[in-house]
Amino acid sequence: AIMIYLCDKNKWNDMYPSSNNNPSDIRQRALINEYISHHNESTRLMTRKVVFPGLSGLFAAEGNLSPGMTHSLSSSPADLMKLKSTIRDTAKRFQHKFLVNSRGSSDFIVGDTPTIADLLAYPDLAQIPQILGIDYVEWPELEELRQWLDRMAKLPYHDDVHRTATKLGKLYQSKL
């Protein structure tokens, strides 16, 4: 809700089109709202079910958290396969629903420029390679997702904004 409010207040119509009677703007808002309404049960699962338990495992190993509900990439092969299955399935659903299906040939979730939908989705999907070191190249069927991630990574200030994720990734991977 805060992102919509800030866009409306500051007239950032490129990130979230104004609510005027232009049919194109109304459709764009609807598509952005569609992603926002799916966010917590879509890409946010990457944080809740994959990244947070992995980082919790790191801190549990340091004695700061209880080890229940944690995982490590160095755990059993069966656990790693289950973890990667969650990553692949979530990424595939996102790609199908928001990057391929009914979106035409646009570069971003809604159109040819990023919107708040892209800004919400990107961190949850990008942290898999940034923090866990698992590359989506493992799954050839996720080509559209990889291309979208590459486009997002080229946006201004990307590296500055994701500096913490990169540092967490180095720390996490050093403990494996």
Side-chain angles (χ1 to χ4, degrees):
I2 191 66
M3 293 177 92
I4 293 171
Y5 167 77
L6 289 171
C7 288
D8 284 343
K9 180 178 186 269
N10 294 299
K11 298 183 183 0
W12 296 333
N13 295 328
D14 55 332
M15 297 301 287
Y16 189 72
S18 65
S19 57
N20 58 31
N21 290 328
N22 180 340
S24 173
D25 289 349
I26 292 170
R27 183 176 189 287
Q28 275 195 307
R29 279 178 81 97
L31 292 171
I32 293 167
N33 290 338
E34 178 185 19
Y35 176 75
I36 292 170
S37 71
H38 282 88
H39 178 73
N40 282 330
E41 295 305 319
S42 177
T43 58
R44 198 68 184 154
L45 292 174
M46 294 293 205
T47 299
R48 287 197 322 257
K49 290 189 175 185
V50 178
V51 175
F52 181 72
L55 292 177
S56 295
L58 171 70
F59 294 113
E62 301 287 329
N64 299 325
L65 290 174
S66 120
M69 300 301 292
T70 65
H71 71 74
S72 169
L73 293 180
S74 62
S75 45
S76 76
D79 289 345
L80 184 56
M81 280 182 54
K82 185 177 177 184
L83 181 71
K84 285 186 172 189
S85 178
T86 299
I87 293 168
R88 185 198 65 235
D89 292 349
T90 304
K92 274 178 79 169
R93 279 191 305 274
F94 170 78
Q95 176 181 268
H96 176 73
K97 177 102 176 128
F98 297 105
L99 297 179
V100 177
N101 192 28
S102 76
R103 298 296 191 247
S105 62
S106 61
D107 286 342
F108 296 95
I109 294 175
V110 179
D112 293 325
T113 59
T115 65
I116 59 175
D118 297 282
L119 296 182
L120 278 171
Y122 180 76
D124 293 321
L125 293 158
Q127 66 190 344
I128 299 303
Q130 288 173 339
I131 295 175
L132 300 183
I134 297 173
D135 196 332
Y136 290 108
V137 77
E138 257 184 72
W139 302 287
E141 69 272 24
L142 294 176
E143 180 61 28
E144 289 87 356
L145 174 70
R146 287 192 304 277
Q147 290 174 6
W148 175 77
L149 288 167
D150 288 345
R151 284 189 291 277
M152 291 295 292
K154 292 176 184 168
L155 293 176
Y157 308 108
H158 173 275
D159 293 346
D160 292 334
V161 171
H162 295 276
R163 185 177 302 129
T164 300
T166 302
K167 287 180 181 179
L168 271 174
K170 288 177 182 174
L171 174 66
Y172 180 78
Q173 292 171 41
S174 75
K175 301 288 184 176
L176 295 178

